[in-house]
Amino acid sequence: MNRIWTLITKEARDGYRNRWVVMITLVMTGLALTLSLLGSAPTGTTSVSPLAVTVVSLSSLSIFFIPLIALLLAYDSVVGEAERGTLILLLTHPVSRTEVILGKFIGHLFLLTVAIVIGYGVAGAAIAFTGEDGFADQEWESFLRLLLSSTLLGAIFLSIGYVISTWVTERGTAAAVAIGIWLFFVLLYDMGLLALLASDGGNMIDGTVVKWVMLLNPTDSYRMFNLTSSNATALLSGMAGLSADHRASDASLILIMLSWVVVPLAAACAIFKRRQL
Amino acid sequence: MQENSNIELISVSKDYGKTKAVDNIDLMVSPGECLALVGHNGAGKSTLIKMILGLVHPTRGTVRVMGHDPLASSFNRVRGRIGFLPEQMLFQNNMTGRETLEFYSSLKGVSLAGIDDLFRRVDLIQAADDRISTYSKGMRQRLGIAQALIGTPELLILDEPTSGLDPASRQNVYSIINEAKNAGATVLISSHALTELDSRIDRVAILNRGKLVALGTIADLRRNIGLPSQIKIHAPASAMERLTQHFGDKCLINGVAQLSCPVDEKVTFLKEVMDLNIPLTDIEVDDPTLEQVFLAYAQKHEQDEKLSGGLDHE
């Protein structure tokens, strides 16, 4: 247990020393503040809570940004240490390879969580305090869901990043694969699905099938989880028209996202165990 | 459980595709012994070390380290008793030397109290709290050695420990090895050149293309390969004639008589020269260097391979 703790603190300190935390926290805060302050302008005097607007804008931002940051943190973790030669030394110590992966995962997740909580928290607080509504009347539940699910989204792409990092033998390849994975999940998947639906004309393919195919993509699960989190966010994001059977329950969305953390992480451990040094 | 040898290799081979990185090696190293693995780059030293550390699976054969199988998950308990210096390693530049040693000490479950002593042992105490990015190549190497000494290991494996070190630091490395040996540890070092070795090494194993071509003390190896001592005699032209009469015309090269004789017959040979009673200006005596001994073993091995290869084709 102590050994995992040693690995976790080292990753966290590395992130701090490399200015990673500072950088991503600043970027997240900057983007979040910009989006939320600009985004709240058009609501004017409508009855919509400005925090709900913020949740909708921030979740759209997260879908692009958080997977990218997570992949950038993770892709280098094993293959980079292998190239520097520190991996061999690390593995001659009394730590198992599973512990190495878990230590990196927890350390990196901590960094991401700090950035998300600070970045989005500052934006949320700014909106809440500048709004006309009372502090307690805000959509805090939606906001909390945003923080939690954003962390989960980060965890998912960290896990995927470790699969890449344990699999490939060169850093350059790992970086290329990471960008490819990001493009696939964030852009291409939805575009492909949209193209499919457009060509189909909405007749042949069953709606529920489309829904589940879409939710297999963790970023879409994340989107659905946040945009339908309350009437206000659903209304704002155009999700209000969805009939009940087009929504997925929170439980199933969380289950999908959790399996996207656990399965790739287990796969990364298994691949790492068979990796020859 | 018998623990006569800290390292025990029985018919160990490792193939990478068709290449035999390590080919059927038997080797035992006892507690209190220092063995040097010597060979060219790619001779199989690093692969052998990785198999001993349980990082690489042998294709065939048995590896036992301190009586345990390095690939078993229970080997983790043994790992705390092993110190290792990798051949090429870039410590993280953004950490200080002290943080680095603290990290590896905690991983080994060793108290952090001994860290200052380690820094003193490798003459790095002044730089202990500096970032590694400010370290020179030699300082990094010494930090690596300090790292290997964490927790006074019973098995010390040093891959190219003297690379990048000045002569004083190199001597210090050998005195560190000697201390570990005297405390009963097994020390395994690897080197690409015999000339780097010190007399404090007990035995040398010469590897060539994955095969163990020689094993013994430096003196044994020197004797067994039968390389002669080279003797150069400078003398006036008139005296040279008498020398060539005695030793044959061939020995005269560029006006210098170049002769050779078996290493342990130098004294009789020189007496023979002196007995000729000719005026000599100078005599140079060169014993075969360790480098030449090493090359001779490697070449001998390649010739043997060719011979047996030729027989196979018939």
Side-chain angles (χ1 to χ4, degrees), chain B residues 97-219:
Chain B
R98 185 182 301 280
E99 283 167 342
T100 305
L101 290 197
E102 280 172 354
F103 172 65
Y104 290 111
S105 298
S106 328
L107 282 185
K108 275 194 174 169
V110 171
S111 139
L112 305 185
I115 285 181
D116 272 347
D117 286 337
L118 289 175
F119 276 117
R120 264 182 228 114
R121 193 66 197 84
V122 297
D123 295 325
L124 217 54
I125 188 76
Q126 289 88 354
D129 294 299
D130 295 347
R131 291 260 173 126
I132 294 176
S133 52
T134 65
Y135 282 22
S136 69
K137 189 171 187 294
M139 289 164 82
R140 283 164 210 246
Q141 183 73 2
R142 281 184 277 152
L143 179 65
I145 290 165
Q147 171 278 128
L149 294 173
I150 289 171
T152 42
E154 291 159 56
L155 173 59
L156 195 55
I157 299 181
L158 308 171
D159 204 344
E160 306 275 354
T162 52
S163 85
L165 294 184
D166 56 40
S169 308
R170 189 176 295 182
Q171 278 309 307
N172 191 28
V173 169
Y174 282 110
S175 80
I176 288 172
I177 289 174
N178 209 37
E179 279 169 25
K181 238 172 63 176
N182 291 339
T186 295
V187 185
L188 181 70
I189 76 168
S190 93
S191 175
H192 61 272
L194 271 169
T195 37
E196 299 243 317
L197 299 188
D198 184 273
S199 55
R200 279 166 277 195
I201 304 285
D202 298 308
R203 283 194 301 162
V204 179
I206 298 182
L207 293 180
N208 193 46
R209 300 200 182 176
K211 285 206 163 126
L212 185 61
V213 296
L215 179 64
T217 64
I218 293 178

Side-chain angles (χ1 to χ4, degrees), chain B residues 19-311:
Chain B
T19 329
K20 289 179 172 175
V22 168
D23 193 0
N24 204 16
I25 286 187
D26 291 282
L27 194 63
M28 307 275 178
V29 196
S30 326
E33 185 184 16
C34 176
L35 177 96
L37 289 173
V38 181
H40 293 302
N41 297 328
K45 291 167 292 173
S46 291
T47 309
L48 202 62
I49 287 177
K50 283 179 188 171
M51 284 195 282
I52 292 168
L53 291 166
L55 299 172
V56 165
H57 296 235
T59 314
R60 287 173 298 282
T62 317
V63 180
R64 295 191 80 76
V65 175
M66 316 230 237
H68 294 79
D69 175 6
L71 294 169
S73 57
S74 60
F75 194 68
N76 256 353
R77 270 176 282 140
V78 181
R79 289 188 189 282
R81 292 149 60 193
I82 301 178
F84 173 53
L85 169 75
E87 182 187 2
Q88 272 182 337
M89 189 179 48
L90 300 166
F91 282 115
Q92 229 156 310
N93 273 337
N94 59 14
M95 285 166 85
T96 67
R98 185 182 301 280
E99 283 167 342
T100 305
L101 290 197
E102 280 172 354
F103 172 65
Y104 290 111
S105 298
S106 328
L107 282 185
K108 275 194 174 169
V110 171
S111 139
L112 305 185
I115 285 181
D116 272 347
D117 286 337
L118 289 175
F119 276 117
R120 264 182 228 114
R121 193 66 197 84
V122 297
D123 295 325
L124 217 54
I125 188 76
Q126 289 88 354
D129 294 299
D130 295 347
R131 291 260 173 126
I132 294 176
S133 52
T134 65
Y135 282 22
S136 69
K137 189 171 187 294
M139 289 164 82
R140 283 164 210 246
Q141 183 73 2
R142 281 184 277 152
L143 179 65
I145 290 165
Q147 171 278 128
L149 294 173
I150 289 171
T152 42
E154 291 159 56
L155 173 59
L156 195 55
I157 299 181
L158 308 171
D159 204 344
E160 306 275 354
T162 52
S163 85
L165 294 184
D166 56 40
S169 308
R170 189 176 295 182
Q171 278 309 307
N172 191 28
V173 169
Y174 282 110
S175 80
I176 288 172
I177 289 174
N178 209 37
E179 279 169 25
K181 238 172 63 176
N182 291 339
T186 295
V187 185
L188 181 70
I189 76 168
S190 93
S191 175
H192 61 272
L194 271 169
T195 37
E196 299 243 317
L197 299 188
D198 184 273
S199 55
R200 279 166 277 195
I201 304 285
D202 298 308
R203 283 194 301 162
V204 179
I206 298 182
L207 293 180
N208 193 46
R209 300 200 182 176
K211 285 206 163 126
L212 185 61
V213 296
L215 179 64
T217 64
I218 293 178
D220 282 347
L221 293 180
R222 213 191 268 272
R223 203 176 308 121
N224 291 343
I225 195 68
L227 275 188
S229 298
Q230 302 289 332
I231 294 154
K232 289 183 190 171
I233 301 175
H234 300 257
S238 55
M240 268 310 172
E241 267 175 46
R242 289 196 52 198
L243 268 177
T244 47
Q245 275 168 21
H246 190 87
F247 292 106
D249 286 335
K250 281 183 188 169
C251 69
L252 197 63
I253 300 164
N254 294 334
V256 181
Q258 299 202 356
L259 303 161
S260 61
C261 77
V263 174
D264 26 0
E265 288 168 28
K266 268 178 299 195
V267 179
T268 11
F269 184 84
L270 287 175
K271 193 161 181 298
E272 189 184 335
V273 175
M274 301 316 284
D275 285 349
L276 291 175
N277 252 330
I278 41 178
L280 305 175
T281 45
D282 194 13
I283 295 182
E284 293 172 53
V285 180
D286 286 319
D287 276 348
T289 65
L290 290 171
E291 198 59 36
Q292 287 166 328
V293 171
F294 167 50
L295 280 174
Y297 273 106
Q299 276 163 6
K300 181 166 170 283
H301 171 241
E302 308 228 321
Q303 277 164 6
D304 292 353
E305 289 274 281
K306 268 186 203 144
L307 274 179
S308 65
L311 288 175

